[in-house]
Amino acid sequence: MNAIEYKKIAGRVACHDFEAEGHADRMAAAKKPKPKPKPRQARRTLLRMPELQYTRRRGMSDWFERARKCIPGGVNSPVRAYRGMGIDPVFLARAEGPYVWDHDDKRYVDYVMSYGPHILGHRHPAIDEALAEAIRGGTSFGAPTRQEVLFAEEICEAVDSVEMVRLVNSGTEAVMSALRLVRAATGRDRIIKFEGCYHGHADGFLVRAGSGALTHGNPDSPGVPAATAELTTIAKYNDLESVRKIFADQGDPIAAVFVEPIAGNIGLVEARAGFLQGLRDLCDQNGALLCFDEVMTGFRVALGGAQQLYGVKPDLTTLGKIIGGGLPVGAYGGRRDLMEQISPLGPVYQAGTLSGNPLAVAAGRAALAEIKKPGFYDELEKTSARIAEALLSAASKVSCPLVLNRVGAMFCPYFAEQGTEINNFDDVLGTDRERHQRFFVSLIKEGVMPAPSPFEAWFASAAHDDEAIEHTHRAAQKAFKAALDAN
């Protein structure tokens, strides 16, 4: 299916934790002057508001307080804390199909989908069966298995640019390893990344832009050495001229350009026509490598990822999420001459005790077998389009201004006037995040669970059926009305 077939539906529908989870919020805060600290009483007042007290009334606050005594912030990934949403996080107990349930047995239509992996829905029978079979043979060996060879062959067959692939345990690990490889292969240290694109929490990627689009990186987290961050140069997403200027002005040669071909960590922003091909051309002209971070988009927007959708071939690709069928996994792969530089074949060292473990491989192979079936992506596109239409319809019924960007089974609603172009991080910052907060709280109350951040994409799955979509439409109509009500 080509990009035009995926691209638009009604209105302006342009198209983790992040795994960035909270990273975009920090970037947003860094762009505006720091406000004076609010008195503690202001926070208490917010939490007394009836709808913002929702999860506290459900008895989850006790568990959150307990968690905060032994886990930093009470969570094992920042976005899960619901900071900025005004309510305590919902603690989940189980999941199936398009739904998750909390410990009070309240059901929610899930659009987090573990930040993308569950393209088949939760607990798909094929994955359950594959895991049950695999666990009987053992959970981890620290030795090669035939299954990981078959898995690697299937990834290489599906993603045209991937001639060899190395399995790892997370998207962060995949991108971190790709970074080491591009530096070794080119003999250069400096890279380009884009404001708002998240590539995991490795030091070289935790940087933000300064006042201009063309700045050297500044550390975006304590503990990141300035010398490390300085090797990352920030460009503006969808602004090819900003990249061209970096190549022209940069004293040090560039090793690689890292980019999300569809930016899924500032909501959802699609690459403009010609942007990705322009990056390909600039890299070729300057002896740099092009790396697509397809941890989110790989096997989601098309079997061959965004690179298949747009017809642009990177030198290296990083993958995760869907290829693990819901288990921890990551991978990086690309041109054979590059991948042959990885140890033990070459000098670039990378290793992992649990890489290619039997459980993740079994789940991943089962997931890939399902999504490769004829017609899978056609049906998924129809489902995602119906969900987007339901949200647009609900907003229209209560006259709530909304822009919805979507590519395939990824989408994001923004509170902005219809016709507003949302093409980069600055555009996202111009949307109404206070309305988003009220919208989110109301959706949770009504039994719909999106990501707890305006900077996160929503994910559709093949399991989202008529009942789930109709419930979403009813809940969204109430939530859009609540979003408009500042009182």
Side-chain angles (χ1 to χ4, degrees):
M1 185 171 291
N2 62 37
I4 299 299
E5 291 173 314
Y6 265 96
K7 191 174 178 183
K8 290 185 181 287
I9 60 172
R12 172 172 161 67
V13 184
C15 307
H16 209 1
D17 28 285
F18 10 162
E19 271 177 1
E21 305 180 347
H23 179 68
D25 301 87
R26 293 196 302 275
M27 292 176 67
K31 278 189 158 282
K32 54 187 181 181
K34 292 184 178 180
K36 294 181 180 180
K38 294 181 179 180
R40 293 179 62 88
Q41 182 61 36
R43 174 67 175 167
R44 294 193 191 102
T45 301
L46 174 67
L47 290 175
R48 286 198 193 106
M49 294 170 63
E51 65 175 6
L52 296 182
Q53 270 292 83
Y54 177 63
T55 56
R56 285 190 177 276
R57 289 204 309 270
R58 296 188 65 79
M60 297 175 194
S61 181
D62 291 344
W63 276 96
F64 191 41
E65 290 298 324
R66 183 170 173 177
R68 288 195 289 190
K69 294 177 181 177
C70 55
I71 303 171
V75 293
N76 284 306
S77 199
V79 78
R80 302 177 195 172
Y82 286 24
R83 291 189 68 180
M85 294 298 103
I87 60 174
D88 291 342
V90 177
F91 279 59
L92 297 180
R94 59 189 176 94
E96 188 166 353
Y99 301 109
V100 291
W101 284 262
D102 66 23
H103 286 271
D104 294 324
D105 210 34
K106 178 179 173 61
R107 189 181 77 171
Y108 306 81
V109 181
D110 185 20
Y111 291 104
V112 180
M113 287 285 148
S114 195
Y115 292 91
H118 296 298
I119 195 168
L120 301 172
H122 293 282
R123 294 204 59 208
H124 190 277
I127 294 177
D128 277 6
E129 292 167 12
L131 283 171
E133 177 67 23
I135 203 167
R136 284 194 286 268
T139 59
S140 179
F141 307 134
T145 67
R146 292 180 179 181
Q147 292 299 312
E148 64 187 304
V149 177
L150 295 172
F151 190 32
E153 289 176 344
E154 290 163 357
I155 292 172
C156 291
E157 180 184 4
V159 185
D160 185 55
S161 70
V162 176
E163 298 173 349
M164 299 184 81
V165 65
R166 170 63 65 85
L167 299 179
V168 291
N169 294 294
S170 70
T172 289
E173 189 180 347
V175 182
M176 176 183 71
S177 303
L179 174 59
R180 181 178 299 162
L181 176 56
V182 300
R183 285 173 167 162
T186 62
R188 304 171 178 180
D189 294 333
R190 186 170 298 283
I191 62 168
I192 297 172
K193 74 172 287 286
F194 294 88
E195 185 178 18
C197 283
Y198 178 74
H199 303 289
H201 60 262
D203 284 1
F205 294 104
L206 280 183
V207 297
R208 62 176 181 265
S211 59
L214 309 176
T215 65
H216 290 163
N218 298 309
D220 199 36
S221 170
V224 177
T228 299
E230 199 274 338
L231 293 174
T232 301
T233 302
I234 307 299
K236 192 169 186 176
Y237 197 77
N238 273 325
D239 185 346
L240 200 58
E241 187 57 36
S242 73
V243 185
R244 187 176 290 111
K245 189 173 186 337
I246 290 172
F247 273 113
D249 296 349
Q250 186 62 59
D252 299 330
I254 302 297
V257 174
F258 282 80
V259 65
E260 289 183 276
I262 299 167
N265 292 294
I266 46 176
L268 191 137
V269 175
E270 184 178 18
R272 286 174 174 169
F275 178 64
L276 297 177
Q277 184 59 54
L279 295 180
R280 174 73 277 172
D281 294 341
L282 283 171
C283 286
D284 291 343
Q285 293 162 15
N286 291 276
L289 299 175
L290 179 60
C291 302
F292 277 8
D293 183 342
E294 296 229 43
V295 171
M296 273 193 178
T297 56
F299 296 92
R300 173 162 285 279
V301 298
L303 183 64
Q307 56 196 267
Q308 174 187 327
L309 205 60
Y310 299 115
V312 178
K313 195 171 182 177
D315 299 297
L316 288 175
T317 299
T318 58
L319 299 165
K321 298 189 183 291
I322 286 173
I323 65 166
L327 270 69
V329 75
Y332 64 105
R335 287 171 20 200
R336 184 173 298 275
D337 65 304
L338 294 174
M339 295 302 295
E340 285 180 341
Q341 297 187 45
I342 299 295
S343 179
L345 195 58
V348 181
Y349 192 74
Q350 180 269 314
T353 299
L354 296 176
S355 296
N357 72 82
L359 300 187
V361 167
R365 291 198 67 209
L368 264 57
E370 293 298 316
I371 65 178
K372 286 192 292 186
K373 289 180 177 178
F376 175 82
Y377 285 96
D378 292 338
E379 291 303 312
L380 184 63
E381 165 66 13
K382 292 175 185 176
T383 297
S384 183
R386 286 190 59 210
I387 297 168
E389 288 166 353
L391 291 172
L392 289 168
S393 171
S396 177
K397 286 180 183 295
V398 297
S399 300
C400 180
L402 192 73
V403 172
L404 196 151
N405 285 5
R406 182 177 74 87
V407 179
M410 297 172 63
F411 55 94
C412 184
Y414 297 97
F415 288 89
E417 294 299 324
Q418 291 181 352
T420 301
E421 293 285 331
I422 298 179
N423 292 313
N424 53 53
F425 188 55
D426 286 337
D427 293 341
V428 173
L429 292 182
T431 63
D432 193 329
R433 284 172 280 150
E434 291 184 3
R435 282 184 176 176
H436 176 274
Q437 179 197 21
R438 295 190 291 271
F439 174 67
F440 172 82
V441 171
S442 180
L443 282 181
I444 291 293
K445 183 177 180 180
E446 297 297 329
V448 174
M449 183 171 287
S453 167
F455 299 110
E456 298 283 357
W458 296 32
F459 297 97
S461 79
H464 282 86
D465 54 14
D466 290 348
E467 180 184 353
I469 296 172
E470 289 165 5
H471 180 88
T472 300
H473 181 261
R474 293 191 300 271
Q477 190 169 332
K478 295 179 181 178
F480 284 123
K481 187 175 184 301
L484 294 173
D485 183 8
N487 300 317

